[in-house]
Coordinates of all heavy atoms in Angstrom, one line a residue:
M415 N -38.5 2.9 -12.9 CA -39.1 3.8 -11.9 C -39.4 5.1 -12.5 O -38.5 5.7 -13.2 CB -38.1 3.9 -10.8 CG -38.5 4.9 -9.7 SD -37.3 5.1 -8.4 CE -37.2 3.5 -7.7
Q416 N -40.5 5.6 -12.3 CA -40.9 7.0 -12.8 C -41.0 7.9 -11.6 O -41.4 7.5 -10.5 CB -42.2 6.9 -13.5 CG -42.1 6.3 -14.9 CD -43.4 6.4 -15.6 OE1 -44.4 6.7 -15.1 NE2 -43.3 6.1 -16.9
T417 N -40.6 9.2 -11.8 CA -40.8 10.2 -10.9 C -41.0 11.5 -11.6 O -41.0 11.6 -12.8 CB -39.5 10.3 -10.0 OG1 -39.8 11.2 -8.9 CG2 -38.3 10.8 -10.7
T418 N -41.3 12.6 -10.9 CA -41.6 13.9 -11.5 C -40.5 14.9 -11.1 O -40.0 14.8 -10.0 CB -43.0 14.4 -11.1 OG1 -43.0 14.5 -9.7 CG2 -44.1 13.5 -11.6
L419 N -40.3 15.8 -12.0 CA -39.4 16.9 -11.7 C -40.2 17.9 -10.8 O -41.4 18.2 -11.0 CB -39.0 17.7 -13.0 CG -38.0 17.0 -13.9 CD1 -37.9 17.8 -15.2 CD2 -36.7 16.9 -13.2
R420 N -39.5 18.4 -9.7 CA -40.1 19.3 -8.8 C -39.4 20.6 -8.8 O -38.2 20.7 -9.0 CB -40.0 18.7 -7.4 CG -40.7 17.4 -7.2 CD -40.4 16.7 -5.9 NE -40.9 15.3 -5.9 CZ -42.0 15.0 -5.2 NH1 -42.6 15.8 -4.5 NH2 -42.4 13.7 -5.3
K421 N -40.2 21.7 -8.7 CA -39.6 23.0 -8.7 C -38.8 23.3 -7.4 O -39.4 23.1 -6.4 CB -40.7 24.0 -9.0 CG -40.1 25.4 -9.2 CD -41.2 26.3 -9.7 CE -40.8 27.8 -9.7 NZ -40.0 28.1 -10.9
I422 N -37.6 23.7 -7.6 CA -36.8 24.0 -6.4 C -36.1 25.4 -6.8 O -35.1 25.4 -7.5 CB -35.7 23.0 -6.1 CG1 -36.3 21.6 -5.9 CG2 -34.8 23.4 -4.9 CD1 -35.3 20.5 -5.7
G423 N -36.7 26.5 -6.3 CA -36.2 27.8 -6.7 C -36.4 28.0 -8.2 O -37.4 27.7 -8.8
N424 N -35.3 28.4 -8.9 CA -35.3 28.5 -10.3 C -34.9 27.2 -11.0 O -34.8 27.2 -12.3 CB -34.4 29.6 -10.8 CG -34.9 31.0 -10.3 OD1 -36.1 31.2 -10.2 ND2 -34.0 31.9 -10.1
S425 N -34.7 26.2 -10.3 CA -34.2 24.9 -10.9 C -35.3 23.8 -10.7 O -36.4 24.1 -10.2 CB -32.9 24.4 -10.2 OG -31.9 25.4 -10.3
R426 N -35.0 22.6 -11.1 CA -35.8 21.5 -11.0 C -35.0 20.4 -10.3 O -33.8 20.3 -10.4 CB -36.3 21.0 -12.3 CG -37.1 22.0 -13.1 CD -38.5 22.1 -12.6 NE -39.2 23.1 -13.4 CZ -40.5 23.0 -13.7 NH1 -41.2 22.0 -13.2 NH2 -41.1 24.0 -14.3
G427 N -35.7 19.5 -9.6 CA -35.0 18.4 -8.9 C -35.9 17.2 -8.8 O -37.1 17.2 -9.1
V428 N -35.3 16.1 -8.4 CA -36.0 14.8 -8.3 C -35.7 14.3 -6.9 O -34.6 14.6 -6.3 CB -35.7 13.8 -9.3 CG1 -36.1 14.2 -10.7 CG2 -34.2 13.4 -9.3
I429 N -36.6 13.5 -6.3 CA -36.4 12.9 -5.0 C -35.8 11.5 -5.4 O -36.4 10.7 -6.1 CB -37.7 12.7 -4.2 CG1 -38.3 14.1 -4.0 CG2 -37.5 12.0 -2.9 CD1 -37.5 15.0 -3.2
I430 N -34.7 11.1 -4.8 CA -34.1 9.8 -5.0 C -34.5 8.9 -3.8 O -34.2 9.3 -2.6 CB -32.5 9.9 -5.0 CG1 -32.1 10.9 -6.2 CG2 -31.9 8.5 -5.3 CD1 -30.6 11.2 -6.2
P431 N -35.2 7.8 -4.0 CA -35.6 7.0 -2.9 C -34.4 6.5 -2.1 O -33.3 6.2 -2.6 CB -36.3 5.8 -3.7 CG -36.7 6.3 -5.0 CD -35.6 7.3 -5.3
S432 N -34.6 6.3 -0.8 CA -33.5 6.0 0.1 C -32.9 4.6 -0.2 O -31.8 4.4 0.0 CB -34.0 6.0 1.6 OG -35.1 5.1 1.7
A433 N -33.8 3.7 -0.8 CA -33.2 2.4 -1.2 C -32.1 2.5 -2.2 O -31.1 1.8 -2.2 CB -34.4 1.5 -1.6
L434 N -32.4 3.4 -3.2 CA -31.4 3.6 -4.3 C -30.1 4.3 -3.7 O -29.0 4.0 -4.1 CB -32.0 4.5 -5.4 CG -33.0 3.8 -6.3 CD1 -33.5 4.7 -7.3 CD2 -32.4 2.5 -6.9
I435 N -30.3 5.2 -2.8 CA -29.2 6.0 -2.2 C -28.3 5.0 -1.4 O -27.1 5.0 -1.5 CB -29.7 7.1 -1.2 CG1 -30.3 8.2 -2.0 CG2 -28.6 7.6 -0.4 CD1 -31.0 9.2 -1.2
E436 N -28.9 4.0 -0.7 CA -28.1 3.0 0.0 C -27.4 2.1 -1.0 O -26.2 1.8 -0.8 CB -29.0 2.2 0.9 CG -29.5 3.0 2.1 CD -30.5 2.2 3.0 OE1 -30.5 1.0 2.9 OE2 -31.2 2.8 3.8
Q437 N -28.1 1.6 -2.0 CA -27.5 0.7 -3.0 C -26.3 1.3 -3.7 O -25.3 0.7 -4.0 CB -28.5 0.2 -4.0 CG -29.4 -0.8 -3.5 CD -30.4 -1.2 -4.6 OE1 -30.8 -0.4 -5.5 NE2 -30.7 -2.5 -4.6
L438 N -26.4 2.6 -4.0 CA -25.3 3.3 -4.7 C -24.3 3.9 -3.7 O -23.3 4.4 -4.2 CB -25.9 4.4 -5.5 CG -26.8 4.0 -6.7 CD1 -27.5 5.2 -7.3 CD2 -26.0 3.2 -7.7
H439 N -24.5 3.8 -2.4 CA -23.6 4.3 -1.4 C -23.4 5.8 -1.7 O -22.2 6.3 -1.6 CB -22.3 3.6 -1.4 CG -22.5 2.1 -1.2 ND1 -22.7 1.6 0.1 CD2 -22.4 1.1 -2.0 CE1 -22.9 0.3 0.0 NE2 -22.7 -0.1 -1.3
L440 N -24.4 6.6 -2.0 CA -24.3 8.0 -2.2 C -24.2 8.7 -0.9 O -24.8 8.4 0.1 CB -25.5 8.5 -3.0 CG -25.8 7.9 -4.4 CD1 -27.1 8.5 -4.9 CD2 -24.6 8.2 -5.3
E441 N -23.3 9.8 -0.9 CA -23.1 10.6 0.3 C -23.8 12.0 0.0 O -24.8 12.0 -0.7 CB -21.6 10.7 0.6 CG -20.9 9.4 0.9 CD -21.3 8.9 2.2 OE1 -21.6 9.6 3.1 OE2 -21.3 7.6 2.3
N442 N -23.2 13.0 0.5 CA -23.8 14.4 0.2 C -23.5 14.9 -1.2 O -24.3 15.7 -1.7 CB -23.2 15.3 1.3 CG -23.6 15.0 2.7 OD1 -24.7 14.5 2.9 ND2 -22.8 15.3 3.6
E443 N -22.4 14.5 -1.8 CA -22.1 15.0 -3.1 C -22.1 13.8 -4.1 O -21.6 12.7 -3.8 CB -20.7 15.7 -3.1 CG -20.7 16.9 -2.2 CD -19.3 17.5 -2.2 OE1 -18.3 16.8 -2.4 OE2 -19.2 18.7 -2.0
I444 N -22.6 14.1 -5.3 CA -22.6 13.1 -6.4 C -22.1 13.8 -7.7 O -22.1 15.0 -7.8 CB -24.0 12.5 -6.6 CG1 -25.0 13.6 -6.9 CG2 -24.5 11.7 -5.4 CD1 -26.4 13.1 -7.3
E445 N -21.8 13.0 -8.6 CA -21.4 13.5 -9.9 C -22.5 13.3 -10.9 O -23.1 12.2 -11.0 CB -20.1 12.8 -10.4 CG -19.6 13.3 -11.7 CD -18.3 12.5 -12.2 OE1 -17.8 11.7 -11.4 OE2 -17.8 12.9 -13.2
L446 N -22.9 14.3 -11.7 CA -23.9 14.2 -12.7 C -23.2 14.1 -14.1 O -22.4 15.0 -14.4 CB -24.8 15.4 -12.7 CG -25.6 15.6 -11.4 CD1 -26.4 16.9 -11.5 CD2 -26.6 14.4 -11.2
V447 N -23.5 13.1 -14.9 CA -22.9 13.0 -16.2 C -24.0 12.8 -17.2 O -24.9 12.0 -17.0 CB -21.9 11.7 -16.2 CG1 -21.3 11.5 -17.5 CG2 -20.9 11.9 -15.1
L448 N -23.9 13.5 -18.3 CA -24.8 13.3 -19.4 C -24.1 12.2 -20.4 O -23.0 12.5 -20.9 CB -25.0 14.6 -20.2 CG -26.0 14.5 -21.3 CD1 -27.4 14.0 -20.8 CD2 -26.2 15.9 -22.0
Q449 N -24.7 11.1 -20.5 CA -24.1 10.0 -21.3 C -25.2 9.4 -22.2 O -26.2 8.8 -21.7 CB -23.6 8.9 -20.3 CG -22.9 7.8 -20.9 CD -22.3 6.8 -19.9 OE1 -22.0 7.2 -18.8 NE2 -22.1 5.6 -20.3
E450 N -24.9 9.5 -23.5 CA -25.8 8.9 -24.5 C -27.2 9.3 -24.3 O -28.1 8.5 -24.3 CB -25.6 7.4 -24.6 CG -24.2 7.0 -24.9 CD -24.1 5.5 -24.9 OE1 -25.1 4.7 -24.9 OE2 -22.9 5.0 -24.9
G451 N -27.5 10.6 -24.0 CA -28.8 11.1 -23.8 C -29.5 10.7 -22.5 O -30.7 11.0 -22.3
A452 N -28.7 10.2 -21.6 CA -29.3 9.9 -20.3 C -28.4 10.6 -19.2 O -27.3 10.9 -19.4 CB -29.2 8.4 -20.0
L453 N -29.1 10.9 -18.1 CA -28.4 11.5 -16.9 C -28.0 10.4 -16.0 O -28.7 9.6 -15.5 CB -29.4 12.5 -16.2 CG -28.8 13.2 -15.0 CD1 -27.7 14.1 -15.5 CD2 -29.9 14.1 -14.4
L454 N -26.7 10.4 -15.7 CA -26.1 9.4 -14.9 C -25.6 10.0 -13.6 O -25.0 11.0 -13.5 CB -24.9 8.7 -15.6 CG -24.1 7.7 -14.9 CD1 -24.9 6.4 -14.7 CD2 -22.9 7.3 -15.8
L455 N -26.1 9.4 -12.4 CA -25.6 9.8 -11.1 C -24.6 8.8 -10.6 O -24.8 7.6 -10.6 CB -26.8 9.8 -10.1 CG -28.1 10.6 -10.6 CD1 -29.2 10.4 -9.5 CD2 -27.7 12.1 -10.7
K456 N -23.5 9.4 -10.1 CA -22.4 8.5 -9.6 C -21.9 9.0 -8.3 O -21.9 10.3 -8.1 CB -21.2 8.4 -10.6 CG -21.6 7.9 -11.9 CD -20.4 7.6 -12.9 CE -19.2 8.5 -12.7 NZ -18.2 8.2 -13.7
P457 N -21.5 8.2 -7.4 CA -20.8 8.7 -6.2 C -19.6 9.5 -6.5 O -18.9 9.2 -7.5 CB -20.4 7.4 -5.4 CG -21.2 6.3 -6.1 CD -21.5 6.7 -7.5
L458 N -19.4 10.6 -5.8 CA -18.2 11.4 -6.1 C -16.9 10.7 -5.9 O -16.0 10.8 -6.6 CB -18.3 12.7 -5.3 CG -17.4 13.8 -5.7 CD1 -17.6 14.2 -7.1 CD2 -17.5 15.0 -4.8
T459 N -16.9 9.9 -4.8 CA -15.7 9.1 -4.5 C -16.0 7.7 -4.9 O -16.9 7.1 -4.3 CB -15.4 9.2 -3.0 OG1 -15.3 10.5 -2.6 CG2 -14.1 8.4 -2.7
P460 N -15.2 7.1 -5.8 CA -15.4 5.7 -6.1 C -15.4 4.8 -4.9 O -14.6 5.0 -4.0 CB -14.3 5.4 -7.1 CG -13.8 6.7 -7.6 CD -14.1 7.7 -6.5
L461 N -16.2 3.7 -4.9 CA -16.2 2.8 -3.8 C -14.9 2.2 -3.6 O -14.2 1.9 -4.5 CB -17.3 1.7 -4.0 CG -18.7 2.2 -4.2 CD1 -19.6 1.0 -4.5 CD2 -19.2 2.8 -2.9
R462 N -14.5 1.9 -2.4 CA -13.3 1.3 -1.9 C -12.0 2.1 -2.2 O -10.9 1.6 -2.1 CB -13.2 -0.1 -2.6 CG -14.3 -1.0 -2.1 CD -14.1 -2.4 -2.7 NE -15.2 -3.3 -2.3 CZ -16.3 -3.5 -3.1 NH1 -16.4 -3.0 -4.3 NH2 -17.3 -4.3 -2.7
Q463 N -12.2 3.3 -2.6 CA -11.0 4.2 -2.9 C -10.4 4.5 -1.5 O -11.0 4.8 -0.5 CB -11.4 5.5 -3.6 CG -10.2 6.4 -3.8 CD -10.6 7.6 -4.6 OE1 -11.6 7.6 -5.4 NE2 -9.9 8.7 -4.4
D464 N -9.1 4.4 -1.5 CA -8.3 4.7 -0.3 C -8.5 3.7 0.9 O -8.2 4.0 2.0 CB -8.6 6.2 0.2 CG -8.2 7.2 -0.7 OD1 -7.2 7.0 -1.5 OD2 -8.8 8.3 -0.8
W465 N -8.9 2.5 0.6 CA -9.1 1.5 1.6 C -7.7 1.2 2.3 O -7.7 1.0 3.5 CB -9.7 0.2 1.1 CG -11.1 0.2 1.1 CD1 -12.0 1.2 1.2 CD2 -12.0 -1.0 1.0 NE1 -13.3 0.8 1.1 CE2 -13.3 -0.6 1.1 CE3 -11.7 -2.3 0.9 CZ2 -14.4 -1.4 1.0 CZ3 -12.8 -3.2 0.9 CH2 -14.1 -2.7 0.9
F466 N -6.7 1.2 1.5 CA -5.4 0.9 2.1 C -4.5 2.1 2.3 O -3.3 2.0 2.5 CB -4.6 -0.1 1.1 CG -5.4 -1.4 1.0 CD1 -6.1 -1.8 0.0 CD2 -5.3 -2.4 2.1 CE1 -6.8 -3.0 -0.1 CE2 -5.9 -3.6 2.0 CZ -6.7 -3.9 0.9
K467 N -5.1 3.3 2.3 CA -4.3 4.5 2.5 C -3.8 4.5 3.9 O -4.5 4.3 4.9 CB -5.2 5.7 2.3 CG -4.5 7.0 2.4 CD -5.5 8.2 2.1 CE -4.7 9.5 2.1 NZ -5.6 10.6 1.8
G468 N -2.5 4.6 4.0 CA -1.8 4.7 5.3 C -1.5 3.3 5.9 O -1.1 3.1 7.0
Y469 N -1.8 2.2 5.1 CA -1.6 0.8 5.6 C -0.1 0.6 5.6 O 0.7 0.9 4.7 CB -2.3 -0.1 4.6 CG -1.9 -1.6 4.9 CD1 -2.4 -2.2 6.0 CD2 -1.1 -2.3 4.1 CE1 -2.1 -3.5 6.3 CE2 -0.8 -3.6 4.3 CZ -1.3 -4.2 5.5 OH -1.0 -5.5 5.7
D470 N 0.4 0.0 6.7 CA 1.8 -0.4 6.9 C 1.8 -1.8 7.3 O 1.5 -2.2 8.4 CB 2.4 0.5 7.9 CG 3.9 0.3 8.1 OD1 4.5 -0.5 7.4 OD2 4.5 0.8 9.1
A471 N 2.3 -2.7 6.4 CA 2.3 -4.1 6.6 C 3.2 -4.5 7.8 O 3.0 -5.5 8.4 CB 2.7 -4.9 5.3
S472 N 4.2 -3.7 8.0 CA 5.1 -4.0 9.1 C 4.5 -3.9 10.5 O 5.0 -4.4 11.5 CB 6.4 -3.0 9.1 OG 6.0 -1.7 9.3
Q473 N 3.3 -3.3 10.5 CA 2.6 -3.1 11.8 C 1.6 -4.3 12.1 O 1.0 -4.4 13.1 CB 1.7 -1.8 11.8 CG 2.6 -0.6 11.7 CD 3.6 -0.4 12.8 OE1 3.2 -0.6 14.0 NE2 4.8 -0.1 12.5
D474 N 1.5 -5.3 11.1 CA 0.7 -6.4 11.3 C 1.3 -7.3 12.5 O 2.5 -7.5 12.6 CB 0.7 -7.3 10.0 CG -0.2 -6.7 9.0 OD1 -1.0 -5.8 9.3 OD2 -0.2 -7.2 7.8
V475 N 0.4 -7.8 13.3 CA 0.8 -8.6 14.4 C 1.3 -9.9 13.9 O 2.3 -10.4 14.4 CB -0.4 -8.8 15.4 CG1 0.0 -9.7 16.6 CG2 -0.8 -7.4 16.0
E476 N 0.5 -10.5 13.0 CA 0.9 -11.8 12.5 C 0.9 -11.8 10.9 O -0.2 -12.1 10.3 CB 0.0 -12.9 13.0 CG 0.1 -13.2 14.4 CD -0.9 -14.3 14.9 OE1 -1.3 -15.1 14.0 OE2 -1.2 -14.3 16.1
P477 N 1.9 -11.4 10.3 CA 1.9 -11.3 8.8 C 1.6 -12.6 8.2 O 1.9 -13.7 8.7 CB 3.3 -10.8 8.5 CG 3.9 -10.3 9.7 CD 3.2 -11.0 10.9
L478 N 1.0 -12.6 7.0 CA 0.6 -13.8 6.3 C 1.8 -14.7 6.0 O 1.7 -15.9 6.0 CB -0.2 -13.5 5.1 CG -1.5 -12.8 5.2 CD1 -2.1 -12.5 3.9 CD2 -2.5 -13.7 6.0
G479 N 3.0 -14.1 5.8 CA 4.1 -14.9 5.5 C 4.5 -15.9 6.6 O 5.3 -16.8 6.4
E480 N 4.1 -15.7 7.8 CA 4.4 -16.5 8.9 C 3.3 -17.5 9.3 O 3.4 -18.1 10.3 CB 4.8 -15.7 10.2 CG 6.0 -14.8 10.0 CD 6.2 -13.9 11.2 OE1 5.6 -14.1 12.2 OE2 7.1 -13.0 11.0
M481 N 2.4 -17.7 8.4 CA 1.3 -18.7 8.7 C 1.9 -20.1 8.6 O 2.7 -20.4 7.9 CB 0.2 -18.5 7.6 CG -0.6 -17.2 7.8 SD -1.9 -17.1 6.5 CE -2.9 -18.4 6.9
K482 N 1.4 -20.9 9.5 CA 1.8 -22.3 9.6 C 0.7 -23.2 9.2 O -0.5 -23.0 9.5 CB 2.3 -22.6 11.0 CG 3.5 -21.8 11.4 CD 3.9 -22.0 12.9 CE 5.1 -21.1 13.2 NZ 5.3 -21.0 14.6
D483 N 1.1 -24.4 8.6 CA 0.1 -25.4 8.2 C -0.4 -26.1 9.5 O 0.3 -26.3 10.4 CB 0.7 -26.4 7.3 CG 1.0 -25.8 5.9 OD1 0.3 -24.8 5.5 OD2 1.9 -26.3 5.2
L484 N -1.7 -26.4 9.4 CA -2.2 -27.2 10.5 C -1.8 -28.7 10.3 O -1.6 -29.1 9.2 CB -3.8 -27.1 10.5 CG -4.3 -25.7 10.8 CD1 -5.8 -25.7 10.6 CD2 -3.9 -25.2 12.2
D485 N -1.8 -29.5 11.3 CA -1.5 -30.9 11.2 C -2.4 -31.6 10.2 O -2.0 -32.4 9.5 CB -1.5 -31.6 12.6 CG -0.4 -31.1 13.5 OD1 0.7 -30.7 12.9 OD2 -0.5 -31.2 14.7
S486 N -3.7 -31.2 10.2 CA -4.7 -31.8 9.4 C -4.4 -31.5 7.9 O -4.9 -32.1 7.0 CB -6.1 -31.4 9.7 OG -6.2 -30.0 9.6
E487 N -3.6 -30.4 7.6 CA -3.3 -30.0 6.2 C -2.0 -30.7 5.7 O -1.6 -30.4 4.6 CB -3.2 -28.5 6.2 CG -4.4 -27.8 6.4 CD -4.3 -26.3 6.5 OE1 -3.1 -25.8 6.7 OE2 -5.3 -25.6 6.3
Q488 N -1.4 -31.5 6.5 CA -0.1 -32.1 6.1 C -0.3 -33.4 5.3 O 0.7 -33.9 4.7 CB 0.7 -32.5 7.4 CG 1.1 -31.3 8.2 CD 2.0 -30.4 7.5 OE1 2.9 -30.8 6.7 NE2 1.8 -29.1 7.6
E489 N -1.5 -33.9 5.2 CA -1.8 -35.1 4.3 C -1.5 -34.7 2.9 O -1.8 -33.6 2.4 CB -3.2 -35.5 4.6 CG -3.5 -35.9 6.0 CD -5.0 -36.2 6.1 OE1 -5.7 -36.2 5.2 OE2 -5.4 -36.4 7.3
D490 N -1.1 -35.7 2.1 CA -0.9 -35.5 0.7 C -2.2 -35.5 0.0 O -3.1 -36.3 0.3 CB 0.0 -36.6 0.1 CG 1.4 -36.5 0.6 OD1 1.9 -35.4 0.9 OD2 2.1 -37.6 0.6
W491 N -2.3 -34.6 -1.0 CA -3.5 -34.5 -1.7 C -3.4 -35.5 -2.9 O -2.4 -35.6 -3.5 CB -3.7 -33.1 -2.2 CG -4.2 -32.2 -1.2 CD1 -3.4 -31.6 -0.3 CD2 -5.5 -31.7 -0.9 NE1 -4.1 -30.8 0.5 CE2 -5.5 -30.9 0.2 CE3 -6.7 -32.0 -1.5 CZ2 -6.6 -30.2 0.7 CZ3 -7.9 -31.4 -1.0 CH2 -7.8 -30.5 0.1
E492 N -4.5 -36.1 -3.3 CA -4.6 -36.9 -4.5 C -5.6 -36.3 -5.4 O -6.7 -36.0 -5.1 CB -5.0 -38.4 -4.2 CG -4.0 -39.1 -3.4 CD -4.4 -40.6 -3.2 OE1 -5.2 -41.1 -4.0 OE2 -4.0 -41.2 -2.2
W493 N -5.2 -36.2 -6.7 CA -6.0 -35.5 -7.7 C -6.5 -36.6 -8.7 O -5.9 -37.5 -9.1 CB -5.3 -34.4 -8.4 CG -4.9 -33.3 -7.5 CD1 -3.8 -33.2 -6.9 CD2 -5.7 -32.2 -7.1 NE1 -3.8 -32.0 -6.1 CE2 -5.0 -31.4 -6.2 CE3 -7.0 -31.8 -7.4 CZ2 -5.5 -30.3 -5.7 CZ3 -7.5 -30.7 -6.8 CH2 -6.7 -29.9 -6.0

């Protein structure tokens, strides 16, 4: 994909297409990194960070440890 640098005050900028913004899950702030002669744009917060922040397993209504087998799962398996 090619684009042009646009003058923004004393700086230059590029327009990032909305499809790329959605795929990268970019928010208001991003990290710019110069890597091997290329400019890399990354989300400031890594994806899935803090998903389990504040999670308390004791608050689960039905913890996985108490799962019961179904009658249909009682048959012996043959390999």
